[in-house]
DNA sequence: CGGAATCTTGAAAGTGTTCAAATCAAGTGG
DNA sequence: CCACTTGATTTGAACACTTTCAAGATTCCG
């Protein structure tokens, strides 16, 4: 039985959800411990489960043909992990998901997910809302990324996600910002003055 | 009564949808004619309706504090228009939506939308699927945008959306790619050789 | 302590921007 | 139909920013 306060809070944030339904939802999930640097999804595999980050943090990225890593985003506590396209459509994943710290995921597999969506309005609502919100966020981010310099992007990241620079290696932060690690180092040096 | 074959095709693409339900869905929509260069949404307004593009094309963009336009994407036939965040949460919009050609939208307002989602499983399904698909697409795009040069972005755009360069002024294409119009001109010149 | 990984710094090269001017295209009114 | 206006695209030259490559400094961890 899942006891994570963070996850409970998430489930109970659905409108008009009764305690029986909460319990039923929890019953569909399993705890998964993940070691630092381990991958939970790799390109080409079918993503078998999605997971709520209860502890730790993840990066998700793509590899270009030339082997260049491009970090799409990070997932901290309260976020979900997993290649959505692969999970929902049972297609090979196009992204990698890697734990940057020792982590704990609250996971659900594809068939349990489908079943849960059918029997729980509340869970379906929460999941669709998460997707919608994430979609809107990345749309806004995408617009800003186009018109900002590297320094502006870095400063915006510090405002929006102050955790990132604390918990993530700088070469990964650079990849997230779409710049070279050397450039990030110089930007930080310049700002600290 | 809506008769657009494009819209009908979209509605009928839901699984197991009966003709009565199709008719009921159609009854919630209204045709809206939009002149070229008109805006259907502006920053700060509440987005009152979303619309299915039956004819024409739109750009949606943000304006930075400095007044700089940054095009997020274009919407052609078969896409939806409207500031989703504003529409769903009844908040002021953060984007502008502008018709680039004379256009025809098949629109629904916020309360009819809410009602329709409740009474039509099929419509709710189609809408959530659209959001999911759009989300996944922009995630992938976001990853590529970080690691590609201007020329690579332009070539990818030509592959994925060949209509854009045909139907959209080049300075808007440049904004969409996140480069200066002069740079786009030089890239096109270089490629044509 | 020692080695590996990470971060910083410098110099040269590359890519894209800016600004100004020239060219091209489309529509308007005489 | 032409001259004119306005908007869009192209071109050139100087400049700014970021990358690359190479090397050195620092940190982490067994």
């Amino acid at each position: 039985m899942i006891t994570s306060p963070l996850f409970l809070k998430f489930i109970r944030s659905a409108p008009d959800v009764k305690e029986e339904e909460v319990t039923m939802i929890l019953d569909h999930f399993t705890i998964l411990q993940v070691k630092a640097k381990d991958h939970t999804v790799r390109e080409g595999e079918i993503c078998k489960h999605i997971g709520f980050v209860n502890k730790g943090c993840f990066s998700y990225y793509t590899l270009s043909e030339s082997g260049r890593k491009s970090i799409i985003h990070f997932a901290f506590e309260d976020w979900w992990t997993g290649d959505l396209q692969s999970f929902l459509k049972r297609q090979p994943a196009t992204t990698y998901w890697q734990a940057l710290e020792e982590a704990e995921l609250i996971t659900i597999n594809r068939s349990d997910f489908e079943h849960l969506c059918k029997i729980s309005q509340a869970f379906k609502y929460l999941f669709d809302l998460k997707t919608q919100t994430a979609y809107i966020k990345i749309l806004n981010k995408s617009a800003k990324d186009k018109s900002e310099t590297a320094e502006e992007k870095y400063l915006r990241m510090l405002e929006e996600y102050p955790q990132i620079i604390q918990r993530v290696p700088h070469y990964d932060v650079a990849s997230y910002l779409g710049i070279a690690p050397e450039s990030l180092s110089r930007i930080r040096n310049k700002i600290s003055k």
Side-chain angles (χ1 to χ4, degrees), chain A:
Chain A
M1 179 69 183
I2 311 277
T3 58
S4 156
L6 200 61
F7 192 58
L8 274 167
K9 188 181 160 199
F10 169 68
I11 299 298
R12 291 198 180 115
S13 71
D16 311 317
V17 60
K18 303 249 166 58
E19 272 311 301
E20 305 138 53
E21 189 166 355
V22 173
T23 307
M24 180 182 77
I25 293 171
L26 292 180
D27 278 348
H28 284 74
F29 285 86
T30 316
I31 299 277
L32 179 68
Q33 303 292 339
V34 185
K35 291 201 195 101
K37 309 223 169 172
D38 272 9
H39 283 82
T40 55
V41 182
R42 286 163 195 278
E43 185 180 359
E45 297 172 358
I46 307 289
C47 176
K48 294 278 208 299
H49 54 69
I50 53 174
F52 177 93
V53 181
N54 190 44
K55 200 166 74 67
C57 78
F58 289 78
S59 69
Y60 54 106
Y61 59 93
T62 56
L63 285 185
S64 67
E65 295 122 45
S66 55
R68 209 185 149 87
K69 185 170 164 182
S70 177
I71 297 208
I72 303 169
H73 222 296
F74 304 101
F76 298 100
E77 286 82 3
D78 194 295
W79 291 56
W80 286 82
T81 65
D83 185 302
L84 204 60
Q85 179 166 35
S86 172
F87 180 77
L88 292 171
K89 302 187 179 171
R90 305 180 205 259
Q91 294 170 355
T94 56
T95 55
Y96 293 82
W97 291 73
Q98 182 180 31
L100 296 175
E101 308 165 353
E102 188 168 339
E104 187 176 298
L105 286 179
I106 301 178
T107 66
I108 185 168
N109 68 35
R110 183 63 176 76
S111 56
D112 287 347
F113 172 84
E114 199 162 356
H115 179 243
L116 184 55
C117 283
K118 275 185 193 141
I119 62 172
S120 169
Q121 289 279 312
F123 179 74
K124 178 86 169 75
Y125 169 86
L126 287 172
F127 180 78
D128 288 340
L129 188 66
K130 268 278 176 192
T131 307
Q132 255 174 30
T133 309
Y135 173 53
I136 287 166
K137 267 194 185 169
I138 194 166
L139 270 183
N140 291 332
K141 181 165 148 47
S142 152
K144 285 175 184 150
D145 280 346
K146 277 176 194 170
S147 57
E148 289 176 342
T149 63
E151 183 175 335
E152 288 168 332
K153 279 184 223 173
Y154 175 68
L155 290 173
R156 178 160 54 85
M157 183 199 79
L158 285 186
E159 273 194 25
E160 286 182 31
Y161 308 103
Q163 332 185 39
I164 291 182
I165 200 69
Q166 313 289 341
R167 296 174 72 175
V168 174
H170 290 185
Y171 56 81
D172 275 346
V173 175
S175 167
Y176 167 72
L177 293 172
I179 62 178
E182 294 94 332
S183 299
L184 176 58
S185 173
R186 278 183 258 263
I187 287 167
R188 285 170 50 77
N189 187 295
K190 185 189 159 201
I191 287 173
S192 71
K193 283 176 194 161

